[in-house]
Amino acid sequence: MAKLPKPEELSKIDLKPPKTDWMDTPVEFKEDMYCWGAKGKNLKVVEFPNARDWSPKEEDWKLPENWKEIVMEAFGDRLSKYRSFKLFMDICVRCGACADKCHFFIGGGDPKNMPVLRAELMRSVYRKHFTTGGKIFGKTAGARELTLNVLKEWWYYYYQCTECRRCSVFCPYGIDTAEITMMGREFLNLLGLNIDWIAGPVANCYMKGNHLGLEPHTIKNSIEFFLDDIENITGIKIEPTFNRKGAEILFVTPSGDLFADPGTYTAMGYLMLFHELGLDYTWSTYASEGGNFGFFTSNEMGKRLNSKIYAEAKRLGVKWILGGECGHMWRVLHQYMDTWNGPADFLEVPKSPITGTVFENAKATKMVHIAEFTADLIKHGKLKLDPRRNDHLKVTFHDSCNTSRGMGILEEPRYIIKNVCKNFYEMPENTIREYTFCCGSGTGLNASENMALRMRGGLPRANAVKYVHDNHGVNMLANICAIDRATLKSAMEYWVPDVQVCGIHELVANALVMKGEKERTLDLRLEPLPGKAEKEGNE
Amino acid sequence: MSLKNLLEENKGKIIAKWFDAIIETYPSDTANFLKSQENRFANPVGATISQGINNLFDIIMNGSDNEEAYAFLDNIVRIRAIQDFTPSQAVSFMFFLKRIIREELRKAIQEKHIYEELFAFEAKIDVLASSAFDIYMKCREKLYEIKASELRRMTFRLLQRANLLSEVKGQDSDFKEGNDG
Ligand code: SF4
Ligand code: SF4
């Protein structure tokens, strides 16, 4: 029989990890910590280089022979093209202010997840190849050669960063590690080194307009399913339009909400709200995706996928665009769309047909976030609301990285929630608003194969949720991001199982008193409303 | 003086050492952070460990019910189960306490001949250590469950649309369950 260690022996085992310098600690691909490599067919669709099937776990990554030249050439090119990139390479003083601000480091404890080290992975190569000091003094100047191992390390850690930008809030020099990650991914993509969770949706989006590759009839079908449920709940039959020319407003939302719970309830919420307002709007089966995983790939790919939104707005001849609850979609729309594919001078400055409010903040892009739109409706008293229908919920709000840090949507969702439900509790101050913790789902997406990584990254967020759960009985985590709705659900399942996840328009639609509706007994999840349980039970 | 009194008297020192021993299972940069950041929301791992072992210590010392200990064990193990540890590394922190007590109180225990009490105390630690292992297994299973239910969530609505679910009505409820989790 194998000799088992006695407890005393076990307690004496030295568990201290070896003390080696980070540069001398080679990257180790750990189970549940990384995503699958991009499939060749998905890269081919968008004409990306080195399209082939490969596995990050294998020794051989099937790289082109001159891979190093390719990267170094692009590195030099981007340094001269983007001043901020060059600056970020040069000015970090390694003060450490950002070091403990990354959710992956906080929850997982891997030092290479400290933003300063994540950036150093690339900066060290920069020094070696682009600075005199680095060329001469090498390692003592923090410089190192770009080797295959270093490349693998880049892949492992740049596809862990969620580009959440929390670290940048704390940097006295405004260094944005997310930008360094983006650059890292851009280089990796030149070698065909993407993850399939990005490459697949990118290919689908490019061909069919949305992440899953849903075709027009399937999209229509999905929405019709919601209509049946809505009729069940309210007795009202809604008839939305698709690809309708001449509509005043084009509505674009992340496709995730069309097929995965709990996002589906948010989509039902939109339908109910727009119907009640009698909004002159249309869905599009072409611009059928607000999300943009091209943004997680390269600048160029982000731009290509984004172009369909204006193209469709033009084709349909709408006046302006309304966008659903999403995170990174808004970062793209807010900060990139105008320069990429604008100016949208064929559109008008968005004006709410219900309140007359002109959204001056959307003057350039002509696209309004639905949280702004709905908050404005409530402010003007245009909605009849019965918040008691949400009495079974104790709600807290998760600020999504992109809407909070990226574009400052902080008050509108809170204002909406407070008007549609009575029990609202904030999480601790250093975990919300611009200090918000990312949902933690690796690379911003919800792949399943990197689940341990996702749980690590989700820990700081979940820890704050647990606090309001334990202290106030919070049972619903609201947010305005489709990826959050998918990923936080899993994070909650692991860390705080009693807490459910929802979008805010689910809460709005629950509370919305609609003209001609029957007495409601069910919420949007087809569960009994508070006080209506017995009625249901008797049936 | 009984072992309990000894433990009470030396509690601060023992817990500090126990905490350090656990923290040292992390890389040194990480250990520095876990030790020095005192805000529990900025440092959930350090805070959970610190709060957890304080409570565990009291529970064992006072001979309280193991049930009570379970929640604190769960909080710590749930974290270590998804970090860079092997199963034994993830749960071995309970055994650290044995070593520390023997080191710290050796002399006093020898002088006062309270081995019986010590053995009883250590037996309680052993029980909790094996519970920790059960919790570890549950956490890992949970991880795989979440993976599966995520896939189900994504496919449920699509299958429903394609009317594929009408043929597998029996599974419909399973799907739904996965949805609502
Ligand atoms: S806070 Fe800024 S300057 Fe300081 S280490 Fe981080 S990136 Fe460098
Ligand atoms: S995940 Fe967020 S906090 Fe961490 S390095 Fe990336 S941008 Fe910074």
Side-chain angles (χ1 to χ4, degrees):
Chain A
M1 207 172 84
K3 190 176 165 290
L4 288 170
K6 297 199 185 84
E8 291 79 9
E9 283 170 6
L10 203 62
S11 72
K12 283 195 190 98
I13 294 172
D14 186 8
L15 293 174
K16 279 186 204 165
K19 281 202 168 57
T20 47
D21 186 59
W22 70 266
M23 261 200 223
D24 300 322
T25 316
V27 58
E28 195 190 322
F29 282 67
K30 293 185 177 130
E31 237 15 81
D32 294 322
M33 287 293 289
Y34 59 91
C35 291
W36 291 317
K39 291 197 185 87
K41 69 172 174 50
N42 288 330
L43 294 184
K44 210 172 259 162
V45 167
V46 288
E47 290 152 351
F48 265 39
N50 202 26
R52 80 254 172 257
D53 287 344
W54 67 290
S55 160
K57 241 179 138 165
E58 304 280 315
E59 195 52 43
D60 179 11
W61 278 16
K62 304 183 190 166
L63 297 174
E65 233 165 77
N66 60 339
W67 68 265
K68 203 166 149 178
E69 269 165 57
I70 295 174
V71 173
M72 291 327 300
E73 196 187 306
F75 208 139
D77 173 65
R78 304 305 188 276
L79 282 170
S80 59
K81 212 152 111 195
Y82 303 114
R83 227 180 80 82
S84 59
F85 180 45
K86 172 92 170 54
L87 220 64
F88 291 168
M89 288 292 104
D90 281 327
I91 59 171
C92 170
V93 293
R94 294 196 240 183
C95 69
C98 64
D100 59 356
K101 304 303 186 294
C102 176
H103 47 287
F104 288 114
F105 176 67
I106 295 172
D110 179 347
K112 283 180 190 168
N113 280 140
M114 296 193 286
V116 53
L117 258 196
R118 197 190 301 285
E120 206 65 13
L121 301 178
M122 183 177 290
R123 223 174 253 134
S124 53
V125 173
Y126 165 76
R127 288 197 195 97
K128 179 80 195 171
H129 292 268
F130 298 97
T131 69
T132 325
K135 277 180 194 150
I136 300 170
F137 297 111
K139 209 175 145 185
T140 39
R144 63 175 178 173
E145 206 50 70
L146 176 63
T147 62
L148 187 59
N149 243 315
V150 170
L151 188 79
K152 290 188 174 183
E153 194 177 43
W154 281 10
W155 189 85
Y156 192 70
Y157 288 102
Y158 289 132
Y159 279 107
Q160 286 191 2
C161 170
T162 44
E163 301 182 0
C164 78
R165 301 174 73 211
R166 186 168 196 265
C167 48
S168 75
V169 174
F170 297 87
C171 174
Y173 296 90
I175 294 176
D176 186 353
T177 303
E179 296 265 345
I180 296 174
T181 292
M182 287 180 200
M183 213 47 85
R185 291 194 190 172
E186 185 148 343
F187 299 157
L188 290 161
N189 268 288
L190 295 173
L191 306 175
L193 298 173
N194 206 332
I195 62 173
D196 207 51
W197 252 93
I198 293 178
V202 163
N204 281 335
C205 245
Y206 191 63
M207 298 302 286
K208 306 261 171 74
N210 55 71
H211 292 161
L212 263 205
L214 306 175
E215 293 178 352
H217 61 279
T218 320
I219 294 173
K220 200 159 166 262
N221 222 261
S222 298
I223 291 175
E224 276 160 4
F225 244 88
F226 299 150
L227 301 178
D228 291 345
D229 279 355
I230 293 172
E231 193 173 357
N232 258 335
I233 297 165
T234 63
I236 295 174
K237 194 157 179 56
I238 295 178
E239 286 169 355
T241 60
F242 298 87
N243 309 324
R244 178 165 59 89
K245 286 194 177 170
E248 181 180 354
I249 299 165
L250 167 65
F251 181 61
V252 178
T253 200
S255 69
D257 285 343
L258 298 185
F259 63 85
D261 300 341
T264 46
Y265 311 120
T266 305
M268 286 164 68
Y270 302 145
L271 286 159
M272 290 163 69
L273 175 68
F274 299 159
H275 173 84
E276 182 59 19
L277 295 172
L279 206 64
D280 178 14
Y281 84 108
T282 184
W283 294 77
S284 164
T285 55
Y286 168 59
S288 52
E289 180 63 74
N292 186 337
F293 289 3
F295 181 62
F296 301 129
T297 305
S298 70
N299 200 40
E300 183 53 32
M301 199 64 234
K303 179 178 167 179
R304 278 159 86 185
L305 295 187
N306 173 257
S307 61
K308 65 174 176 264
I309 295 182
Y310 280 156
E312 182 68 336
K314 197 169 199 171
R315 186 180 76 90
L316 297 177
V318 301
K319 289 190 180 148
W320 58 280
I321 311 165
L322 180 62
E325 295 182 22
C326 186
H328 78 279
M329 155 179 166
W330 282 97
R331 173 106 167 265
V332 171
L333 301 176
H334 188 67
Q335 289 173 354
Y336 296 85
M337 181 158 76
D338 188 35
T339 26
W340 278 348
N341 295 307
D345 42 17
F346 55 93
L347 294 172
E348 294 174 12
V349 178
K351 178 177 168 186
S352 169
I354 316 297
T355 65
T357 300
V358 178
F359 293 95
E360 291 286 345
N361 58 326
K363 204 153 68 183
T365 59
K366 316 288 196 301
M367 188 149 179
V368 173
H369 194 291
I370 193 160
E372 299 169 318
F373 178 74
T374 304
D376 175 64
L377 292 171
I378 296 176
K379 185 104 196 160
H380 285 87
K382 298 292 181 192
L383 301 181
K384 195 167 172 209
L385 300 165
D386 179 3
R388 281 173 309 176
R389 290 185 190 156
N390 285 318
D391 268 357
H392 54 316
L393 303 177
K394 293 196 166 149
V395 182
T396 192
F397 180 67
H398 161 72
D399 291 275
S400 306
C401 308
N402 287 303
T403 48
S404 61
R405 279 189 282 273
M407 59 186 296
I409 298 194
L410 303 168
E411 301 308 333
E412 292 86 345
R414 290 179 164 81
Y415 178 75
I416 295 172
I417 293 172
K418 285 180 199 161
N419 275 283
V420 298
C421 42
K422 290 193 275 182
N423 313 307
F424 175 68
Y425 301 92
E426 287 279 16
M427 286 182 271
E429 243 171 75
N430 55 341
T431 73
I432 54 170
R433 297 177 180 261
E434 50 271 41
Y435 298 118
T436 189
F437 278 117
C438 180
C439 64
S441 284
T443 44
L445 317 172
N446 65 325
S448 296
E449 62 266 25
N450 61 341
M451 198 53 84
L453 174 73
R454 287 178 51 189
M455 293 304 125
R456 291 177 188 197
L459 168 58
R461 168 76 301 152
N463 179 58
V465 176
K466 188 170 191 300
Y467 176 78
V468 281
H469 168 70
D470 292 349
N471 286 282
H472 305 291
V474 162
N475 57 9
M476 187 58 89
L477 177 58
N479 59 74
I480 49 169
C481 167
I483 291 182
D484 278 333
R485 285 189 280 281
T487 62
L488 283 174
K489 175 132 175 60
S490 298
M492 289 303 114
E493 246 174 281
Y494 187 80
W495 295 113
V496 208
D498 297 333
V499 175
Q500 297 280 323
V501 178
C502 74
I504 56 174
H505 279 79
E506 178 185 343
L507 303 175
V508 169
N510 268 339
L512 186 68
V513 181
M514 298 171 75
K515 289 181 276 298
E517 70 179 13
K518 66 175 190 189
E519 192 199 341
R520 287 205 214 175
T521 54
L522 300 172
D523 67 9
L524 263 53
R525 302 187 178 204
L526 299 176
E527 280 159 18
L529 282 172
K532 312 278 177 175
E534 277 136 72
K535 249 186 221 167
E536 278 298 299
N538 290 340
E539 277 173 17
Chain B
M1 194 196 253
S2 70
L3 178 67
K4 188 176 169 190
N5 291 341
L6 265 180
L7 289 172
E8 236 155 27
E9 230 166 62
N10 293 282
K11 179 178 165 182
K13 209 161 52 176
I14 294 173
I15 297 234
K17 287 209 161 176
W18 192 12
F19 182 72
D20 285 353
I22 300 174
I23 293 306
E24 277 171 17
T25 59
Y26 293 89
S28 61
D29 285 329
T30 313
N32 289 340
F33 158 68
L34 294 177
K35 261 193 215 179
S36 57
Q37 174 54 264
E38 283 178 8
N39 183 292
R40 59 186 279 202
F41 302 108
N43 178 12
V45 176
T48 304
I49 293 175
S50 162
Q51 190 211 22
I53 61 175
N54 254 293
N55 284 294
L56 286 169
F57 187 87
D58 286 345
I59 290 168
I60 309 174
M61 184 174 71
N62 296 327
S64 318
D65 210 347
N66 275 349
E67 287 281 303
E68 268 180 62
Y70 200 83
F72 297 108
L73 264 185
D74 186 284
N75 289 344
I76 299 176
V77 176
R78 191 162 294 274
I79 289 174
R80 292 175 70 87
I82 47 102
Q83 293 180 325
D84 278 333
F85 298 110
T86 62
S88 72
Q89 286 171 341
V91 301
S92 60
F93 65 92
M94 280 311 298
F95 296 122
F96 295 173
L97 179 60
K98 273 182 162 175
R99 181 189 70 201
I100 290 161
I101 287 176
R102 286 187 177 200
E103 281 167 9
E104 284 303 306
L105 306 180
R106 166 165 293 138
K107 243 177 142 185
I109 289 171
Q110 269 170 358
E111 278 165 13
K112 298 188 169 65
H113 299 284
I114 42 178
Y115 289 106
E116 288 290 323
E117 274 182 79
L118 179 68
F119 292 152
F121 185 83
E122 290 190 342
K124 291 202 75 171
I125 296 180
D126 290 343
V127 172
L128 289 182
S130 54
S131 301
F133 197 77
D134 288 343
I135 295 171
Y136 177 89
M137 290 309 292
K138 280 199 190 124
C139 288
R140 297 301 301 186
E141 275 165 25
K142 187 82 206 166
L143 218 52
Y144 290 100
E145 230 175 74
I146 291 172
K147 280 190 198 189
S149 64
E150 225 171 48
L151 269 179
R152 240 179 313 172
R153 264 205 297 284
M154 276 188 289
T155 45
F156 170 69
R157 289 279 183 173
L158 288 177
L159 293 177
Q160 190 187 37
R161 311 255 193 293
N163 275 331
L164 288 175
L165 288 182
S166 53
E167 286 155 40
V168 280
K169 266 265 152 60
Q171 285 173 28
D172 197 309
S173 55
D174 277 1
F175 276 112
K176 252 315 201 198
E177 224 170 87
N179 276 328
D180 301 330

